[in-house]
Amino acid sequence: DNGYDNPIFAVLEQQYSEHMEDTADDEDEDQAKQLAYYELDLGLNHVSRKWATVVPPTSICLAALPGGAEGPSGVLVGSENYVSYYHSDNADGVHCVLPRRSWETKRPILITQIQVHRQKKGKFFALAQTELGDVYKLSMDLTQGSDAVRVTGIHASFLDTLPRSNSLNISKKGLLFCAAEFDDHTLYQFERIDVPEAATNHSDDLKAQGLADLTTEQAVQVAKTFQPMPLQNMVAVAHLENASPTTGLLVGELAGNEVSPQIYTLGGRGPSSCLRILRHGASVTELAVSDLPGVPGGIYTIDSEETGLSQNIVVSFADATLVLSVGETVEEVGRESGFLTNAPTLACSALTGGSLCQVHPSGVRHIQRGTAKQWHCPGLKRIECASANTSQVLIALAGGEVTYFELDSLSGNLTESATREMGADVCCIDAGTIPKGKSRSLFAAVGCRDQTVKIVSLEPGAKVLQQKSSLALKARPHSVSLQFVGTEDLILMIGLDDGSSLRAMVDPITGAIAPSPTRRFLGARPVTVSRIPLESRSAMLLLSSRPWISRWDSASSKYIMAPLSYAPLDHGCAFKSESVPEGVVATAGKTLRIISVDTSAMETEDEAFNTNKVSLRYTPRQMTLLSTPDQSRRKVVVACVESDYNDYGEVEKKSMGFDPSGDKKDAKKDDGDAMDMDEDSDEEKEDKKEESKEDDEEDDEEAAARKTPIRGPLPPGPGHWGSCVRLLDPADSCRTLDCIEMNRNEAALCCCSVRFHTRGGESLLAVGTVTGMTLNPLKQSTSHVILYRVLNGDRLQLLHRTTIDDGPVLSLAHFQGRLVVGIGKTLRLYEMGKRQLLRKCELRGLPTYVKTIQTAGDRAYVGDMMRSLHLVRYEPNSNRLVLIASDPSPRPIVCQELLDWNTVAVGDKFGNICVLRLPRGADTSAVDLSGQRSLWDTSKTDTTAKLEVLCQYYVGEVVTSMTRSSLVAGGAESLIYVTVTGRIGALVPFTSREDVEFYTQLESHLRTDAPRPTGRDPQAYRSYYAPVMHVVDGDLCDVFNSLPHEEQSKIADRLDRTVGEVMKKLEDTRNALL
């Protein structure tokens, strides 16, 4: 900071000679790392080097101090063990040692970033974070010189331990935002910034010891020590989810009580490792649950005309009606409510003027000033369905006759206005909502059993109940709803018996239904539609085998439909109270529930997902499903292997005095000399219990706000690993059932479920481990394949260990009642023995390392770490593995997924997804690389069949895992993938030539017409390593929705479609996936 003078830039420079190998032993000043000042002359527009000085060789980060009239200027330099201050007037610098963790006595500690925060009246301080996550407060000793303020000393005080971050930012309001590297981004609030009791070092400590060289030994000798604990000086106030890095993916309905499958991802690193459970849908808060005397047939609320809050909840049963009064408590109201309680209620509403209306199968009941008036059905007819708003009542009698009642504004009586035959039996009806400033709804929707929905007029006069338009359906309508969105758009939502919904626009003047309604499959049960408010806007609740929300998003100008992550509901309607301004009261079985919907995840254009996290001990490597018998039923559990390089095991950490939880609570001791106290009464005991529960909840919230991941002690050299095998129960929120720690320096890298024929098809867990492995160079002392048995569905039992000396075990797979193992360059088949696995056959000579294995029938699909995919076939007659085909392109395989017998999708380290297929008839010629066959019976390697590339697409990030699955019940399968940064994507297969032509043409138009924020051609980007092939860029096609209307019209005209048809096509494709 140079005030108002020419700006000066500080940089760290390393001078390199032409022959870098000659500079390894040179330590002269010209080769050392330097801090240099460059000045920008604003007048001449010229940059000149003004000053330079030698800094420690491990210097890595810089931060400028305030200058001019606000501070001393200069630069803080972060390096190993030290933070230094340099200025052009002080080339020697001021150096201060950082406090250290008590067990870190040998390794250097690197400062990764420094952030300076300016306060009022010329005050400032700096925060420095190390590679372990420890944050230090840096304060300067300033003295007023003859011409400027000078820095004479530095205080470094330990503040707290935060997740390792890419950036620290302090706001003007004193909030700290931590953009974490491998954890959720978090916003912290400072509780205190002055920490006099914390471990503190001063720059004078080095001078007092007479130490001049900035070495690790001197830093250990001088530094004060501390033990990291949960947050002491800060508290977390908000979190932003960050799934980076994501290393594994599993999709399936494993919870047992939900309809749609969940997405399970492995992510995080070290102490921040976790298993995430993602559910497609908005999160729901359950506010109250109470039992009902039976299974209800409907539920309604009656709102107060004065306050707009719900004053009654009406629950309809098969032969009775239950009326509940809503106040401070919910209580049952008897006959004083005026409702007929010995008959079911088909519809009810509060009318204008304070009266109530109840429709039951025998007639219409109008309750006014405590007296009830009854309209009885003519003859033996009964009411099938009904609907009511604040001034209108519609009933449908058996035989298709619809009768309309309207409230007389002068007398306050409910009068019969018209009756009309619909031509078919009516199965659902809706009177619509009354727009603001109007006294009645102009249209009503009538659903008939002949699979039609009709819009009828409610205008007074001769046009009452006159049909305005109709819509033919493919299934019988189960419920209908008319709702105004904003002030102009009128939406017709139809729930069908086949579990799907239809949404169509209705002309608010003529009542005409727009063509091409939007259809979406919601579940296996008939769909019930009801109106609810969300964020003071109108929305719709759709109930099928799972609840859904449909609402208009003004930001994206389109409808958003998202499911709710909640149990299936039978009936529901809007509920308003002082404590719950926008809630839903619903029934599920014999229970009454009051819930509220969290719409924060639905604010973006993406579909809503909510996430639950389960903390893990080490970095997760792989997970698999195990099916185990549990009390005469099959139970599915998840097995996960975790391992961290350059880390100690759990036992070693505790022996060094490290507590992963960081809790330092003293155990409570009984005081035998305490005075005898009088016992409390029962009421006082209950009050104390309630107070203790509240205190426990507050303590849990406080502990959650102060929880922080803490990295344990670091080993001094390479080859150290910490690892464990964990068993989780997905039906119980992925609770840990069992966790087995591996041996010292043994790392579990892969696992699979295997069923040996000799074990009667019992599912066993096979784990591949390496011991003492180093990454550069890649070597290990030994490898093992460990077999575990799951006892009682919740405990792992070791069966035996098999030692393997041929290379690292990186992949395992079940293969025809045996276990196929990838060991370095060898693919080996094992049978189970009593004490260890028995080798049956093997295939040697694969290019580098076997990274992935999948099996189907007698084939094994083997992914090589550097040389793409190989197809191997097992011949039982000769007991050998033979190579069928290979991919000629050298793809570094990371993951793969089998699509069919001859087709495999692979993802490589460069961010490409490719679909490879075996040519027809290629499996007739096989190559034996093992040398077991005679020379004249073997063909050459280059005659091996080559896999064909069907599709190729550049994602832009490393794809770490993929699976073939469907995200909706009954939907088509898609290829779901995850990337290293936590992105979840899908490749949706086209099922018709029409879709291929439409999206290909749309993509070609958008390549030229869509805006390019980076100026890069979309096709060139998707063809970064290889030309894109047979894949349409869905992200580019989705840009169509955000284009101006003029651009949309031009593109739609070229496609011979309307803008609405193009947007509907895009929405249908998305709905097919989610």
Side-chain angles (χ1 to χ4, degrees):
D1 192 341
N2 203 29
Y4 293 100
D5 296 336
N6 286 335
I8 295 179
F9 301 92
V11 295
L12 287 173
E13 297 179 345
Q14 177 72 55
Q15 301 293 335
Y16 293 98
S17 65
E18 296 180 359
H19 306 283
M20 294 183 60
E21 63 275 6
D22 298 338
T23 64
D25 300 329
D26 295 342
E27 295 183 358
D28 55 0
E29 191 168 312
D30 294 336
Q31 303 293 332
K33 187 173 288 188
Q34 295 181 348
L35 171 67
Y37 278 12
Y38 288 87
E39 180 181 1
L40 172 63
D41 192 323
L42 298 177
L44 300 177
N45 195 22
H46 177 72
V47 177
S48 59
R49 197 169 191 255
K50 303 293 293 183
W51 174 79
T53 186
V54 178
V55 295
T58 57
S59 300
I60 191 174
C61 57
L62 299 173
L65 295 184
E70 298 182 357
S73 186
V75 175
L76 288 175
V77 180
S79 59
E80 284 185 351
N81 307 310
Y82 299 89
V83 59
S84 307
Y85 168 79
Y86 292 95
H87 194 273
S88 57
D89 297 337
N90 186 3
D92 295 335
V94 180
H95 310 283
C96 181
V97 179
L98 291 179
R100 305 171 67 88
R101 298 185 178 186
S102 57
W103 52 75
E104 296 292 347
T105 58
K106 296 181 180 180
R107 290 186 71 263
I109 301 174
L110 180 64
I111 299 176
T112 57
Q113 58 179 307
I114 302 176
Q115 175 73 24
V116 178
H117 178 61
R118 301 189 184 191
Q119 296 175 301
K120 297 179 180 179
K121 299 180 181 179
K123 296 182 179 180
F124 64 92
F125 67 90
L127 295 181
Q129 189 179 37
T130 66
E131 58 183 334
L132 301 179
D134 298 329
V135 178
Y136 301 86
K137 178 193 175 185
L138 306 178
S139 54
M140 316 300 158
D141 293 338
L142 306 178
T143 58
Q144 183 65 43
S146 58
D147 54 348
V149 179
R150 300 183 183 276
V151 175
T152 59
I154 302 176
H155 291 268
S157 303
F158 171 70
L159 189 63
D160 263 323
T161 301
L162 302 180
R164 286 175 292 181
S165 60
N166 295 319
S167 176
L168 293 176
N169 296 277
I170 306 176
S171 67
K172 293 181 179 179
K173 295 184 178 180
L175 297 177
L176 173 64
F177 179 72
C178 175
E181 184 181 16
F182 297 122
D183 200 0
D184 290 346
H185 309 309
T186 310
L187 186 66
Y188 297 93
Q189 182 178 10
F190 288 101
E191 290 189 337
R192 64 187 68 86
I193 194 61
D194 295 326
V195 284
E197 298 179 357
T200 304
N201 277 99
H202 191 267
S203 54
D204 292 340
D205 295 341
L206 290 172
K207 299 178 182 178
Q209 296 285 342
L211 303 176
D213 298 332
L214 304 181
T215 62
T216 302
E217 292 76 11
Q218 294 180 4
V220 173
Q221 183 178 351
V222 175
K224 302 293 177 61
T225 61
F226 64 90
Q227 286 194 354
M229 295 185 295
L231 300 177
Q232 303 295 317
N233 304 304
M234 287 182 280
V235 60
V237 294
H239 297 275
L240 183 63
E241 289 185 358
N242 175 27
S244 174
T246 299
T247 57
L249 172 67
L250 192 64
V251 180
E253 205 297 285
L254 306 180
N257 56 355
E258 300 179 16
V259 178
S260 294
Q262 304 90 40
I263 301 177
Y264 298 84
T265 61
L266 298 176
R269 177 183 175 187
S272 303
S273 302
C274 65
L275 169 67
R276 295 177 184 267
I277 305 103
L278 287 82
R279 290 177 171 84
H280 177 220
S283 60
V284 172
T285 303
E286 189 176 74
L287 303 176
V289 178
S290 60
D291 294 330
L292 293 173
V295 178
I299 188 169
Y300 315 92
T301 56
I302 297 177
D303 298 338
S304 172
E305 188 177 7
E306 299 176 355
T307 62
L309 303 178
S310 300
Q311 62 181 6
N312 292 105
I313 299 175
V314 181
V315 185
S316 175
F317 297 93
D319 56 355
T321 294
L322 177 65
V323 183
L324 303 175
S325 175
V326 179
E328 296 182 356
T329 60
V330 178
E331 299 177 351
E332 181 180 353
V333 181
R335 295 182 177 272
E336 58 268 21
S337 63
F339 275 67
L340 188 65
T341 58
N342 57 359
T345 298
L346 303 178
C348 63
S349 176
L351 303 179
T352 305
S355 59
L356 303 177
C357 171
Q358 178 193 16
V359 181
H360 52 89
S362 300
V364 179
R365 191 178 183 89
H366 185 205
I367 307 165
Q368 189 178 21
R369 300 184 184 90
T371 60
K373 299 179 181 179
Q374 186 81 15
W375 179 89
H376 295 281
C377 296
L380 298 178
K381 292 185 177 181
R382 293 178 65 84
I383 301 176
E384 297 287 340
C385 55
S387 176
N389 54 34
T390 56
S391 64
Q392 298 164 297
V393 178
L394 272 173
I395 61 172
L397 302 177
E401 183 179 314
V402 175
T403 304
Y404 171 56
F405 298 85
E406 188 168 0
L407 185 67
D408 190 344
S409 58
L410 298 179
S411 62
N413 296 326
L414 197 62
T415 58
E416 180 180 355
S417 297
T419 300
R420 186 180 294 271
E421 289 283 346
M422 290 291 107
D425 288 345
V426 178
C427 54
C428 55
I429 195 170
D430 183 61
T433 57
I434 300 177
K436 291 183 178 180
K438 305 291 185 179
S439 59
R440 61 172 61 87
S441 172
L442 297 180
F443 300 103
V446 181
C448 301
R449 296 186 183 274
D450 59 355
Q451 299 185 2
T452 60
V453 171
K454 302 175 182 179
I455 301 297
V456 298
S457 173
L458 297 182
E459 295 183 16
K463 296 182 179 180
V464 177
L465 297 181
Q466 181 180 353
Q467 179 178 327
K468 292 293 185 180
S469 59
S470 65
L471 179 65
L473 308 173
K474 296 182 179 180
R476 181 182 299 173
H478 183 75
S479 61
V480 291
S481 178
L482 279 172
Q483 186 178 45
F484 275 94
V485 176
T487 57
E488 298 180 356
D489 296 335
L490 182 60
I491 303 299
L492 172 64
M493 184 68 75
I494 307 171
L496 303 179
D497 279 348
D498 62 356
S500 59
S501 67
L502 280 179
R503 187 185 71 247
M505 301 289 293
V506 177
D507 192 311
I509 299 177
T510 63
I513 302 176
S516 301
T518 301
R519 182 188 181 96
R520 182 157 189 173
F521 179 76
L522 303 184
R525 288 162 45 179
V527 179
T528 302
V529 184
S530 59
R531 291 180 286 265
I532 62 170
L534 278 182
E535 296 181 340
S536 303
R537 299 178 182 176
S538 55
M540 292 189 184
L541 175 68
L542 299 94
L543 303 179
S544 182
S545 52
R546 68 180 306 187
W548 290 71
I549 291 291
S550 174
R551 70 183 183 94
W552 172 260
D553 183 21
S554 58
S556 59
S557 299
K558 65 179 184 180
Y559 275 90
I560 294 179
M561 287 191 67
L564 303 182
S565 292
Y566 197 66
L569 301 176
D570 300 328
H571 310 279
C573 63
F575 177 79
K576 302 177 184 177
S577 66
E578 295 181 355
S579 58
V580 188
E582 293 180 346
V584 176
V585 57
T587 62
K590 293 184 178 182
T591 59
L592 178 70
R593 304 165 185 253
I594 298 178
I595 60 176
S596 64
V597 181
D598 182 12
T599 58
S600 58
M602 300 173 59
E603 294 177 356
T604 61
E605 293 185 4
D606 297 333
E607 297 285 347
F609 279 88
N610 66 92
T611 308
N612 295 326
K613 287 198 329 181
V614 178
S615 298
L616 304 177
R617 186 178 298 174
Y618 305 103
T619 302
R621 302 292 176 175
Q622 196 174 3
M623 61 180 170
T624 186
L625 291 178
L626 289 171
S627 178
T628 62
D630 180 30
Q631 297 178 358
S632 71
R633 67 182 182 89
R634 303 299 292 180
K635 179 180 180 181
V636 178
V637 295
V638 176
C640 176
V641 292
E642 312 165 26
S643 59
D644 267 332
Y645 182 56
N646 198 24
D647 199 358
Y648 289 112
E650 191 75 4
V651 177
E652 294 176 279
K653 289 180 181 178
K654 291 183 178 180
S655 65
M656 297 179 183
F658 172 70
D659 184 9
S661 62
D663 294 335
K664 303 294 180 183
K665 298 179 181 179
D666 297 331
K668 295 182 180 180
K669 299 180 180 180
D670 294 336
D671 190 357
D673 298 331
M675 295 178 61
D676 295 334
M677 302 296 292
D678 295 335
E679 294 184 358
D680 296 330
S681 63
D682 293 339
E683 295 181 357
E684 292 176 346
K685 287 181 179 180
E686 292 180 359
D687 294 340
K688 288 187 176 182
K689 286 182 180 180
E690 293 179 358
E691 291 178 1
S692 63
K693 288 182 180 180
E694 294 177 357
D695 293 340
D696 291 340
E697 292 177 357
E698 293 177 359
D699 292 342
D700 293 340
E701 294 177 359
E702 180 74 11
R706 296 189 180 277
K707 184 179 180 181
T708 184
I710 301 176
R711 180 73 158 87
L714 298 179
H720 290 266
W721 289 82
S723 180
C724 69
V725 178
R726 188 183 301 268
L727 199 65
L728 305 109
D729 185 6
D732 190 11
S733 302
C734 282
R735 177 178 58 90
T736 298
L737 300 174
D738 194 10
C739 185
I740 297 179
E741 190 76 15
M742 294 286 100
N743 295 335
R744 185 174 182 180
N745 296 335
E746 185 179 18
L749 300 181
C750 57
C751 65
C752 78
S753 173
V754 58
R755 297 177 300 278
F756 291 100
H757 291 320
T758 56
R759 297 284 299 188
E762 179 186 4
S763 292
L764 303 179
L765 175 63
V767 179
T769 68
V770 293
T771 302
M773 187 174 75
T774 59
L775 300 181
N776 189 18
L778 185 59
K779 62 180 182 179
Q780 78 288 336
S781 59
T782 184
S783 300
H784 294 89
V785 175
I786 309 175
L787 283 184
Y788 292 97
R789 181 187 182 192
V790 182
L791 294 180
N792 302 324
D794 59 358
R795 188 164 58 89
L796 292 173
Q797 179 189 26
L798 176 64
L799 293 180
H800 55 62
R801 300 166 63 95
T802 303
T803 303
I804 298 173
D805 298 326
D806 298 338
V809 178
L810 301 179
S811 55
L812 304 166
H814 170 263
F815 184 71
Q816 294 186 347
R818 297 176 179 178
L819 179 66
V820 60
V821 184
I823 309 168
K825 300 180 181 181
T826 303
L827 186 68
R828 187 173 296 168
L829 192 63
Y830 283 98
E831 181 63 84
M832 186 176 180
K834 292 184 177 180
R835 295 187 177 182
Q836 67 175 15
L837 294 175
L838 306 178
R839 184 188 307 184
K840 304 303 292 183
C841 65
E842 64 181 18
L843 177 66
R844 292 180 177 270
L846 294 176
T848 57
Y849 291 94
V850 177
K851 182 66 175 62
T852 58
I853 300 177
Q854 282 186 300
T855 61
D858 61 351
R859 288 184 186 176
Y861 305 82
V862 182
D864 191 83
M865 188 175 287
M866 296 298 295
R867 301 294 299 181
S868 194
L869 192 71
H870 303 269
L871 265 66
V872 178
R873 186 180 67 218
Y874 174 67
E875 295 182 354
N877 295 331
S878 57
N879 189 29
R880 64 190 182 100
L881 296 170
V882 295
L883 182 66
I884 297 176
S886 61
D887 183 15
S889 299
R891 310 178 198 274
I893 299 298
V894 178
C895 59
Q896 69 179 52
E897 177 63 21
L898 185 63
L899 301 183
D900 60 35
W901 178 247
N902 295 320
T903 312
V904 184
V906 298
D908 60 28
K909 291 182 180 179
F910 300 121
N912 298 301
I913 292 181
C914 305
V915 178
L916 307 175
R917 173 168 289 179
L918 180 68
R920 183 174 299 178
D923 58 346
T924 56
S925 61
V927 179
D928 179 26
L929 300 179
S930 62
Q932 297 176 2
R933 298 176 61 188
S934 57
L935 181 62
W936 56 83
D937 197 26
T938 302
S939 58
K940 297 181 179 179
T941 304
D942 55 5
T943 61
T944 306
K946 305 302 178 183
L947 297 175
E948 300 174 350
V949 180
L950 294 186
C951 304
Q952 198 152 245
Y953 185 72
Y954 176 66
V955 176
E957 304 171 13
V958 179
V959 178
T960 55
S961 183
M962 61 175 62
T963 184
R964 189 182 79 250
S965 181
S966 172
L967 295 180
V968 294
E973 286 187 337
S974 302
L975 185 63
I976 314 297
Y977 66 87
V978 293
T979 66
V980 68
T981 61
R983 175 183 174 186
I984 301 178
L987 296 177
V988 181
F990 288 126
T991 57
S992 66
R993 176 62 61 181
E994 179 185 358
D995 291 344
V996 175
E997 294 176 355
F998 169 79
Y999 278 103
T1000 302
Q1001 295 177 10
L1002 177 62
E1003 182 187 28
S1004 63
H1005 294 317
L1006 288 173
R1007 284 173 182 169
T1008 57
D1009 297 344
R1012 303 178 184 178
T1014 61
R1016 192 166 188 176
D1017 182 28
Q1019 186 175 10
Y1021 175 71
R1022 296 303 181 187
S1023 306
Y1024 195 90
Y1025 288 96
V1028 62
M1029 182 186 302
H1030 300 158
V1031 179
V1032 176
D1033 190 351
D1035 293 335
L1036 179 63
C1037 294
D1038 202 44
V1039 175
F1040 179 85
N1041 293 322
S1042 60
L1043 292 177
H1045 184 70
E1046 295 77 10
E1047 296 292 334
Q1048 291 179 340
S1049 300
K1050 292 180 181 178
I1051 296 175
D1053 291 341
R1054 298 174 194 169
L1055 298 174
D1056 294 332
R1057 296 173 182 256
T1058 64
V1059 175
E1061 291 175 347
V1062 176
M1063 297 180 71
K1064 180 179 179 298
K1065 191 73 172 179
L1066 293 172
E1067 184 178 0
D1068 290 343
T1069 304
R1070 176 180 286 268
N1071 294 344
L1073 175 65
L1074 292 173

